[in-house]
Amino acid sequence: MIAYVIRRLLHTVLVVFAISLLIFFSIRLTGDPVTVMFSAGEPTKEAIEEVRRNLGLDQPLYVQYLIFLKGLVTFDFGESFRSHMPVMDLIMERAGATLALAIGGTIVSILIAFPVGIISAVKRGSIVDFFGRIFSLIGISFPNFWLGIMLILIFAVNLKWLPSSGFEGPQHLILPSITLGMILSGILARLVRSSMLEVMNQQYVSTAKSKGISDWAVIIKHAFRNALLPTITFLGLQFGSLLGGTVIVETIFSWPGIGRLIIDAINQRDYPVIQGGVIFLAVIMVVVNLIVDLSYSLIDPRIKTGGSGRA
């Protein structure tokens, strides 16, 4: 186990290093951030050079990258070109909101998808299974921006039950979480159903039934537990993706998350914020993936992480 964790940590370092290279040099293809700062007027050449010197943009690219890489070791991403605040402070200000939204969306998807997927598998071929598959198809097909707008119109504008924007309390989390969770639940329900159908045909499930164990006890204790393996993989990867992929939902609900911070920074060519935000999310996704891998041996003791060779 220890050797496996060490290998994965080394893999994580290589992944972060590759991402740092990609993001550092690619964002510099978007143009000079100093020109955006002076968009309101016609600055002199001396003024432009002064700003570039203050921001460290007058140095060669490889020197800028080495400075960035040195700060990366201690998660010091420098200061924002716009607000002049430490980038890590800006990220941590938004991290709570993004984490809350990702957790909320995941919980909603689990509460919906697990019952739908399990019941559809148990009642395979019935009218219940038919409506379960229809629900999954609808969930996959829904654009999240449309669903978010509809939820705002119904529950915020017309019924006035819930707030439509901001993040000031738990009630502000409900509509964004439902928007994320509904989309995710469609895919998750199909995955749970297919995994359950595969497991329920295994010999050990038939053996458990022959011992007189009740059907639902067999389904939950034996079949569902083993069907969780692909489901946990999916949830882990999706949770990592939700942390950085909620830009549309954050925009619709004016949610102060990291994704929105990065989008604003891209529009302003705020290099340190873009670099820091992307690297931060990349590290989170890799760590989540590692936790998912390590959880395999807890769910199914037959799987040994030390020899899995999973990268």
Side-chain angles (χ1 to χ4, degrees):
M1 175 70 75
I2 296 177
Y4 174 74
V5 173
I6 292 175
R7 288 200 307 270
R8 289 305 305 268
L9 290 176
L10 292 175
H11 177 262
T12 298
V13 172
L14 292 176
V15 170
V16 173
F17 175 72
I19 293 175
S20 70
L21 274 173
L22 179 63
I23 190 65
F24 181 87
F25 289 101
S26 62
I27 61 175
R28 277 156 177 78
L29 300 176
T30 62
D32 190 350
V34 178
T35 59
V36 179
M37 298 178 184
F38 287 105
S39 58
E42 292 293 335
T44 63
K45 183 178 180 180
E46 290 75 14
I48 293 177
E49 292 301 322
E50 177 68 20
V51 173
R52 287 179 59 81
R53 186 165 51 253
N54 292 336
L55 297 178
L57 296 175
D58 60 327
Q59 302 184 55
L61 279 181
Y62 75 90
V63 175
Q64 297 181 41
Y65 178 71
L66 290 177
I67 294 174
F68 166 64
L69 205 60
K70 181 181 178 181
L72 182 60
V73 177
T74 58
F75 271 67
D76 179 8
F77 301 117
E79 293 185 351
S80 167
F81 288 168
R82 288 285 178 169
S83 65
H84 302 291
M85 291 181 58
V87 172
M88 198 60 188
D89 290 351
L90 294 174
I91 292 174
M92 296 311 297
E93 285 179 2
R94 306 289 188 109
T98 295
L99 182 62
L101 184 56
I103 292 175
T106 302
I107 291 175
V108 169
S109 68
I110 290 175
L111 293 177
I112 296 174
F114 277 20
V116 172
I118 293 173
I119 295 174
S120 293
V122 173
K123 303 293 184 180
R124 181 181 183 182
S126 67
I127 188 68
V128 175
D129 183 28
F130 173 77
F131 280 111
R133 285 182 290 167
I134 292 296
F135 167 80
S136 299
L137 182 61
I138 293 175
I140 296 172
S141 304
F142 265 160
N144 54 6
F145 67 86
W146 180 87
L147 180 59
I149 292 173
M150 290 299 102
L151 290 176
I152 290 175
L153 288 176
I154 295 173
F155 294 102
V157 177
N158 294 329
L159 298 178
K160 301 185 185 302
W161 288 354
L162 295 168
S164 61
S165 62
F167 181 36
E168 300 175 4
Q171 69 275 16
H172 290 79
L173 187 60
I174 297 176
L175 293 184
S177 295
I178 293 176
T179 302
L180 281 180
M182 283 295 294
I183 306 301
L184 183 59
S185 64
I187 305 174
L188 184 58
R190 294 186 67 175
L191 179 60
V192 171
R193 179 183 181 275
S194 62
S195 299
M196 285 290 296
L197 289 175
E198 181 180 351
V199 170
M200 288 171 65
N201 291 326
Q202 299 297 320
Q203 182 63 40
Y204 61 85
V205 175
S206 302
T207 302
K209 290 181 179 179
S210 66
K211 293 180 178 180
I213 304 176
S214 65
D215 290 344
W216 280 106
V218 172
I219 290 168
I220 300 301
K221 186 177 180 179
H222 296 278
F224 180 61
R225 179 176 178 178
N226 289 282
L228 275 177
L229 286 175
T231 304
I232 285 182
T233 302
F234 174 80
L235 280 175
L237 297 176
Q238 286 300 313
F239 183 78
S241 299
L242 286 178
L243 289 173
T246 59
V247 177
I248 295 177
V249 175
E250 289 180 1
T251 302
I252 293 174
F253 292 96
S254 298
W255 194 262
I258 297 177
R260 191 177 175 192
L261 173 68
I262 294 175
I263 291 298
D264 291 341
I266 291 174
N267 293 330
Q268 299 170 351
R269 297 178 188 169
D270 197 338
Y271 292 169
V273 176
I274 301 172
Q275 295 167 175
V278 172
I279 294 295
F280 180 83
L281 293 176
V283 171
I284 295 296
M285 291 184 66
V286 173
V287 170
V288 168
N289 195 24
L290 174 61
I291 294 174
V292 169
D293 285 350
L294 295 178
S295 67
Y296 284 170
S297 60
L298 299 178
I299 297 172
D300 191 344
R302 296 171 300 176
I303 297 179
K304 302 297 182 182
T305 53
S308 65
R310 181 180 168 85

